[in-house]
Amino acid sequence: MIVANSKRELLEWRRSLDSDARLGFVPTMGALHEGHRSLLRAARKSGVTVAASVFVNPTQFGPNEDLDQYPRTREADEAALREEGVDFVWFADAAEVYPTGFATEVRVPLLAAGLCGRSRPTHFAGVATVVLKLLNLFRPSQLFMGRKDFQQLVLIRRLVLDLDLELDVVGCDIVRDPDGLALSSRNVKLSEAGRVAALALNRGLLAARELFKAGERDAVKLVLEASRLAMADPRASLEYIELVDSVHLKALESVERGGVLAIAARVDGVRLIDNIALGEID
Ligand code: AMP
């Protein structure tokens, strides 16, 4: 595995590849877990050269968010990337990604305003800007992202489509602990009791899916069922539960073909998100 610590090394490596080389790219913020590994494996499986980036992107954190406390585990990350057979990784540095004078912002307002965007109004501009930069630097043919960050995946799909980027965006399933908790780099900050409370999120989503399977199509009823369980533990403070379509993220009144039930909550001061597909989604 080639480990790059500078943009220059990344560009030199990229230029050294054959012009028809197919590259699979997995952007991450590090503190790698099985969720990230599943993306790396999906990339490896598709037979392309696999590249990853590790960058805790400051511009996607709001002023009162956990940028300083975000876990940073470079050595373990490097070992995990090697284990997964990654060919190349760039450990990026904020000063190089955003040099003095940096003045550009990429926004996808229609998809960034709702759901997580309501409490994180600047988050998705930070994500869209850094992802577009990374895509320009790595020039991959495939981009691998997790469905765990569903709004992010939908927004990046849109950006790729709208800006005519020639690459496939591959959405990968949510990896969970055996008890159902969606893996997240932030889970390490949960206390034991907080972890138990966090499980209520997934329980709520699963209950709604059962109701959906039993024939319920009304969004209000499905959302109510999810919130009943998700709010059962007072440690979990719910931010939103919404049923939306999987392309425009518009609230659904009823689920015809399919939709995504998305949830965000705070437990122990840790912000957690999760979602589940109901029916067929794109
Ligand atoms: P992050 O390091 O949190 O920015 O995540 C990097 C990528 O890993 C994103 O595409 C996430 O959606 C994905 N990811 C994070 N957690 C999971 C998970 N539990 N299952 C699947 N993908 C995940």
Side-chain angles (χ1 to χ4, degrees), residues 64-267:
N64 299 313
E65 294 183 0
D66 59 350
L67 174 61
D68 294 339
Q69 289 90 45
Y70 198 84
R72 287 164 173 86
T73 59
R74 169 153 181 169
E75 268 182 38
D77 289 349
E78 222 178 290
L81 292 159
R82 277 183 207 284
E83 267 175 41
E84 297 303 337
V86 169
D87 298 292
F88 176 93
V89 58
W90 180 32
F91 286 92
D93 175 75
E96 254 202 326
V97 177
Y98 304 113
T100 307
F102 189 89
T104 300
E105 189 176 74
V106 181
R107 296 197 298 130
V108 191
L110 283 181
L111 297 176
L115 302 172
C116 291
R118 273 197 293 280
S119 67
R120 309 187 78 189
T122 58
H123 173 68
F124 289 109
V127 170
T129 306
V130 81
V131 169
L132 184 57
K133 275 179 71 79
L134 290 168
L135 293 176
N136 285 333
L137 290 165
F138 280 84
R139 289 182 281 123
S141 47
Q142 284 170 295
L143 169 67
F144 293 83
M145 302 190 90
R147 295 206 175 96
K148 154 92 181 351
D149 300 273
F150 188 71
Q151 186 172 11
Q152 169 174 283
L153 173 64
V154 171
L155 185 142
I156 296 300
R157 276 194 202 287
R158 188 81 241 169
L159 179 146
V160 164
L161 192 69
D162 289 353
L163 299 185
D164 305 305
L165 305 185
E166 281 189 69
L167 66 114
D168 294 329
V169 181
V170 183
C172 299
D173 285 343
I174 302 177
V175 178
R176 300 175 180 281
D177 271 332
D179 57 13
L181 183 64
L183 294 188
S184 160
S185 303
R186 292 185 168 99
N187 288 356
V188 293
K189 295 190 187 150
L190 293 170
S191 66
E192 196 115 329
R195 228 197 113 80
V196 173
L199 290 174
L201 273 62
N202 185 234
R203 226 173 278 135
L205 297 180
L206 290 173
R209 193 173 64 179
E210 284 311 306
L211 201 59
F212 176 78
K213 280 186 181 162
E216 185 58 65
R217 294 292 178 266
D218 184 79
V220 171
K221 291 198 179 124
L222 292 164
V223 166
L224 270 178
E225 176 70 357
S227 32
R228 193 173 59 79
L229 279 120
M231 295 197 306
D233 194 310
R235 269 175 182 264
S237 134
L238 212 59
E239 193 180 291
Y240 68 75
I241 304 188
E242 276 185 57
L243 186 49
V244 296
D245 81 274
S246 63
V247 176
H248 308 290
L249 302 177
K250 288 250 188 298
L252 296 174
E253 281 179 16
S254 71
V255 192
E256 298 311 330
R257 193 171 136 251
V260 172
L261 188 57
I263 187 167
R266 275 183 180 280
V267 178

